[in-house]
Short mmCIF file of all heavy atoms in Angstrom, two decimals:
data_model
loop_
_atom_site.label_atom_id
_atom_site.label_comp_id
_atom_site.label_asym_id
_atom_site.label_seq_id
_atom_site.Cartn_x
_atom_site.Cartn_y
_atom_site.Cartn_z
N GLU A 615 6.32 78.13 54.64
CA GLU A 615 5.53 76.96 54.40
C GLU A 615 4.55 77.22 53.24
O GLU A 615 3.84 78.23 53.20
CB GLU A 615 4.77 76.62 55.66
CG GLU A 615 3.94 75.36 55.57
CD GLU A 615 3.16 75.07 56.85
OE1 GLU A 615 3.45 75.79 57.82
OE2 GLU A 615 2.26 74.22 56.80
N GLY A 616 4.48 76.26 52.27
CA GLY A 616 3.59 76.37 51.14
C GLY A 616 4.20 77.15 49.97
O GLY A 616 3.65 77.04 48.83
N VAL A 617 5.24 77.94 50.22
CA VAL A 617 5.87 78.69 49.16
C VAL A 617 7.17 78.02 48.70
O VAL A 617 7.42 77.82 47.54
CB VAL A 617 6.12 80.14 49.58
CG1 VAL A 617 6.89 80.94 48.49
CG2 VAL A 617 4.84 80.85 49.89
N MET A 618 7.99 77.61 49.64
CA MET A 618 9.23 76.93 49.42
C MET A 618 9.40 75.80 50.46
O MET A 618 9.73 76.16 51.59
CB MET A 618 10.39 77.92 49.41
CG MET A 618 11.73 77.25 49.02
SD MET A 618 11.63 76.74 47.30
CE MET A 618 13.24 76.03 47.06
N PRO A 619 9.09 74.59 50.16
CA PRO A 619 8.78 74.07 48.82
C PRO A 619 7.34 74.49 48.35
O PRO A 619 6.46 74.71 49.21
CB PRO A 619 8.88 72.57 48.96
CG PRO A 619 8.54 72.36 50.41
CD PRO A 619 9.17 73.46 51.17
N ASN A 620 7.19 74.53 47.01
CA ASN A 620 5.89 74.88 46.44
C ASN A 620 4.88 73.79 46.66
O ASN A 620 5.12 72.68 46.20
CB ASN A 620 6.11 75.27 44.96
CG ASN A 620 4.84 75.70 44.29
OD1 ASN A 620 4.03 74.88 43.87
ND2 ASN A 620 4.67 76.98 44.18
N ALA A 621 3.75 74.12 47.25
CA ALA A 621 2.76 73.13 47.56
C ALA A 621 2.22 72.45 46.31
O ALA A 621 1.98 71.24 46.28
CB ALA A 621 1.62 73.73 48.39
N ARG A 622 1.96 73.23 45.26
CA ARG A 622 1.31 72.66 44.07
C ARG A 622 2.32 71.77 43.34
O ARG A 622 1.93 70.72 42.79
CB ARG A 622 0.89 73.79 43.12
CG ARG A 622 0.21 73.31 41.86
CD ARG A 622 -0.27 74.44 41.00
NE ARG A 622 -1.34 75.19 41.65
CZ ARG A 622 -1.92 76.23 41.13
NH1 ARG A 622 -1.53 76.70 39.99
NH2 ARG A 622 -2.91 76.83 41.76
N ALA A 623 3.60 72.15 43.34
CA ALA A 623 4.61 71.28 42.68
C ALA A 623 4.66 69.90 43.35
O ALA A 623 4.84 68.87 42.66
CB ALA A 623 5.98 71.94 42.75
N ILE A 624 4.49 69.84 44.65
CA ILE A 624 4.52 68.57 45.36
C ILE A 624 3.20 67.80 45.05
O ILE A 624 3.23 66.64 44.82
CB ILE A 624 4.71 68.79 46.87
CG1 ILE A 624 6.04 69.45 47.13
CG2 ILE A 624 4.52 67.49 47.61
CD1 ILE A 624 6.29 69.89 48.58
N GLU A 625 2.09 68.50 45.07
CA GLU A 625 0.77 67.84 44.85
C GLU A 625 0.67 67.27 43.49
O GLU A 625 0.09 66.21 43.25
CB GLU A 625 -0.30 68.95 45.11
CG GLU A 625 -1.72 68.40 44.96
CD GLU A 625 -2.74 69.51 45.15
OE1 GLU A 625 -2.40 70.49 45.90
OE2 GLU A 625 -3.84 69.38 44.63
N ASP A 626 1.18 67.97 42.45
CA ASP A 626 1.01 67.57 41.04
C ASP A 626 2.00 66.49 40.60
O ASP A 626 1.94 66.00 39.51
CB ASP A 626 1.16 68.79 40.08
CG ASP A 626 0.02 69.83 40.24
OD1 ASP A 626 -0.98 69.41 40.90
OD2 ASP A 626 0.14 70.94 39.79
N TYR A 627 2.96 66.15 41.44
CA TYR A 627 4.02 65.26 41.04
C TYR A 627 3.51 63.84 40.76
O TYR A 627 2.68 63.25 41.52
CB TYR A 627 5.12 65.18 42.16
CG TYR A 627 6.23 64.24 41.85
CD1 TYR A 627 7.12 64.47 40.80
CD2 TYR A 627 6.41 63.10 42.59
CE1 TYR A 627 8.15 63.59 40.53
CE2 TYR A 627 7.44 62.20 42.35
CZ TYR A 627 8.30 62.48 41.29
OH TYR A 627 9.35 61.66 41.01
N GLN A 628 3.95 63.31 39.66
CA GLN A 628 3.66 61.86 39.34
C GLN A 628 5.01 61.26 38.80
O GLN A 628 5.67 61.87 38.00
CB GLN A 628 2.61 61.74 38.23
CG GLN A 628 1.30 62.34 38.57
CD GLN A 628 0.34 62.18 37.45
OE1 GLN A 628 0.19 61.10 36.89
NE2 GLN A 628 -0.28 63.28 36.97
N MET A 629 5.34 60.12 39.32
CA MET A 629 6.58 59.46 38.89
C MET A 629 6.29 58.58 37.76
O MET A 629 5.74 57.45 37.92
CB MET A 629 7.21 58.65 40.09
CG MET A 629 8.56 58.07 39.73
SD MET A 629 9.75 59.33 39.31
CE MET A 629 11.16 58.32 38.83
N ILE A 630 6.53 58.98 36.50
CA ILE A 630 6.38 58.22 35.34
C ILE A 630 7.64 58.15 34.56
O ILE A 630 8.26 59.19 34.33
CB ILE A 630 5.24 58.80 34.45
CG1 ILE A 630 3.91 58.79 35.26
CG2 ILE A 630 5.07 57.98 33.21
CD1 ILE A 630 2.75 59.45 34.48
N LYS A 631 8.13 57.02 34.21
CA LYS A 631 9.41 56.87 33.50
C LYS A 631 9.32 57.39 32.09
O LYS A 631 8.19 57.31 31.48
CB LYS A 631 9.86 55.45 33.47
CG LYS A 631 10.26 54.94 34.91
CD LYS A 631 10.78 53.51 34.81
CE LYS A 631 11.22 53.03 36.20
NZ LYS A 631 11.75 51.65 36.13
N PRO A 632 10.37 57.96 31.52
CA PRO A 632 10.32 58.35 30.11
C PRO A 632 10.08 57.21 29.18
O PRO A 632 10.39 56.06 29.51
CB PRO A 632 11.71 58.96 29.93
CG PRO A 632 12.59 58.37 31.01
CD PRO A 632 11.64 58.18 32.15
N GLY A 633 9.49 57.51 28.06
CA GLY A 633 9.21 56.48 27.11
C GLY A 633 7.69 56.48 26.74
O GLY A 633 7.35 56.02 25.64
#
Side-chain angles (χ1 to χ4, degrees):
E615 183 183 348
V617 176
M618 185 65 180
N620 182 277
R622 182 177 294 179
I624 296 173
E625 182 181 332
D626 293 347
Y627 177 67
Q628 299 178 53
M629 185 61 186
I630 300 176
K631 292 183 178 180

